[in-house]
Amino acid sequence: MATMAANTFTSTSRAYLCHQYPSFTRTSTIRCSSHPTKTLVPEKFPAAEPSPVFHSVKSFAPATVANLGPGFDFLGCAVDTLGDTVTLSIDPYIPPGTITVSSVSGDHPSAVSKLSRNPNFNCAGIAAAAAMRMLGVRSVGLSLHLHKGLPLGSGLGSSAASAAAAAVAVNALFGGGLSQSDLVLAGLESEKKVSGYHADNIAPSLMGGFVLIRSYRPLQLMHLEFPVERELLFVLVSPEFEAPTKKMRAALPDLVKREEHVANSSQAAALVAAILQGNVRVLGSALSCDGIVEPKRAPLIPGMVDVKKAAVKGGAFGCTISGSGPTAVAVVDDEDKGKEIGERMVEAFLMGGRLKATAVVARLDRVGARVISCNVD
């Protein structure tokens, strides 16, 4: 069985699929014809069922930091180093047009034990099935192996990473007929079953970089390009504590005061401007100034208030909760400084919340979900 590296294929479709997805121009917009109360499938199926171009595909999708402080439910970014991996294969023993989750492994045993292998209740399985429907796959069955590099309920887009990797793998296996917006919609099929209809994890995991959700009805996504020449690092500190997204969303207020809305809107605008300008100092400051969501969630994460203080005191430009938590994210522009701040944040979780924690310094993942190997036999 011959395995070929991603950049060795010569045919147009295979070369396209096995290379990294192209980056977007600054503030590129993707329109997705969808509505959160409707089934997320394309209006028209392909004229003909696509034939598989590979026997198996292996894909990776990065972790994400959603909200970024005042950008609740409409802003997120992808970070490197951490993520989930999916291996998808054609399986003659699986009924045509269906998919099975054959196995789940991972770096976090507790997470693996909690994941269902029923594709109807597995994030990767749901997204893969949605992508198959979009492509009109009916004649072959697929087997999926999921490797979890992310813990569950961590605030790093664990469910989105699984969904993104699966959707990309299905698309690659059948020649890349789905657009980026189709893949986001396939991922949202999974997200809405797990944590609600929000794209601030799945979109950046698929697209890479910073993504702004301009609208949900219809779904419109804007890719925000942080200048390549500027250094930006995220200090991600994850305590041994699970914060389920549904529980953390339930803690949020139904109504906010006008002055709170104005303050958060101005900080969100500053955050977007800082991203496009490459101004890490303002980016961190704006990220650290959420006055609506963070004040409600921070008390639910033991030690979070102390962790934020430790990060800022240590020299971080800002710190907030990553997604719904419990991971804390701080922004810096120097890796060594980031490591020092990470140690301070870990200590603060232990002293202030009696929680053990681990720290990782990550960069912006500008690529997003991608195929990392393809097998033709």
Side-chain angles (χ1 to χ4, degrees), residues 4-338:
M4 305 180 71
N7 59 359
T8 60
F9 295 96
T10 57
S11 70
T12 302
S13 62
R14 293 182 183 182
Y16 165 76
L17 289 169
C18 291
H19 276 80
Q20 296 176 340
Y21 286 92
S23 60
F24 288 74
T25 57
R26 182 174 297 196
T27 67
S28 298
T29 302
I30 293 179
R31 294 180 63 94
C32 305
S33 297
S34 69
H35 189 288
T37 60
K38 296 181 180 179
T39 301
L40 296 177
V41 295
E43 295 180 1
K44 295 181 180 179
F45 283 104
E49 180 181 2
S51 299
V53 295
F54 304 113
H55 174 75
S56 66
V57 167
K58 187 175 184 180
S59 61
F60 170 83
T64 47
V65 175
N67 301 339
L68 295 167
F72 176 70
D73 270 8
F74 66 84
L75 192 61
C77 69
V79 293
D80 69 5
T81 305
L82 305 171
D84 288 356
T85 305
V86 161
T87 302
L88 190 71
S89 306
I90 295 172
D91 192 333
Y93 298 102
I94 303 303
T98 67
I99 185 168
T100 185
V101 179
S102 59
S103 59
V104 179
S105 61
D107 303 335
H108 307 274
S110 60
V112 173
S113 65
K114 294 179 181 178
L115 291 177
S116 173
R117 287 177 55 183
N118 183 332
N120 295 316
F121 300 100
N122 181 286
C123 297
I126 296 168
M132 290 174 70
R133 290 195 301 272
M134 289 178 172
L135 287 166
V137 176
R138 300 177 295 276
S139 301
V140 297
L142 302 179
S143 178
L144 183 152
H145 168 71
L146 171 64
H147 181 84
K148 289 294 298 178
L150 294 172
L152 303 181
S154 60
L156 293 172
S158 177
S159 61
S162 296
V168 164
V170 171
N171 193 37
L173 196 70
F174 291 95
L178 298 180
S179 67
Q180 194 77 260
S181 60
D182 290 329
L183 295 175
V184 173
L185 293 177
L188 276 172
E189 284 274 16
S190 172
E191 287 288 85
K192 71 178 182 179
K193 288 188 177 182
V194 175
S195 57
Y197 190 89
H198 60 94
D200 49 347
N201 288 116
I202 188 65
S205 187
L206 280 162
M207 298 166 64
F210 288 93
V211 179
L212 168 70
I213 294 84
R214 181 187 177 192
S215 167
Y216 277 96
R217 301 185 183 186
L219 184 63
Q220 292 182 296
L221 309 173
M222 301 183 72
H223 192 271
L224 309 178
E225 186 176 333
F226 186 86
V228 178
E229 68 275 9
R230 300 294 177 86
E231 189 77 304
L232 171 64
L233 298 108
F234 301 90
V235 184
L236 304 169
V237 181
S238 301
E240 294 181 357
F241 181 82
E242 191 169 329
T245 301
K246 289 185 177 181
K247 176 182 177 181
M248 300 303 280
R249 292 180 79 86
L252 303 182
D254 293 325
L255 300 173
V256 297
K257 296 179 180 179
R258 180 187 303 171
E259 55 268 29
E260 293 174 336
H261 166 69
V262 172
N264 256 43
S265 295
S266 65
Q267 294 299 333
L271 183 58
V272 171
I275 291 169
L276 297 177
Q277 294 171 358
N279 190 328
V280 183
R281 187 176 295 275
V282 173
L283 191 161
S285 175
L287 170 146
S288 202
C289 289
D290 170 30
I292 296 175
V293 177
E294 184 183 313
K296 297 297 183 182
R297 287 178 167 174
L300 303 179
I301 304 171
M304 179 59 72
V305 174
D306 294 325
V307 170
K308 181 171 184 174
K309 290 179 180 178
V312 174
K313 186 176 180 180
F317 296 128
C319 178
T320 190
I321 302 170
S322 177
S324 60
T327 295
V329 55
V331 173
V332 298
D333 61 359
D334 179 82
E335 186 171 5
D336 290 336
K337 188 68 174 178

Side-chain angles (χ1 to χ4, degrees), residues 346-366:
V346 168
E347 184 179 2
F349 261 129
L350 184 61
M351 299 300 293
R354 296 184 179 180
L355 296 176
K356 294 181 179 179
T358 56
V360 174
V361 179
R363 285 181 164 79
L364 185 69
D365 186 310
R366 297 175 181 271

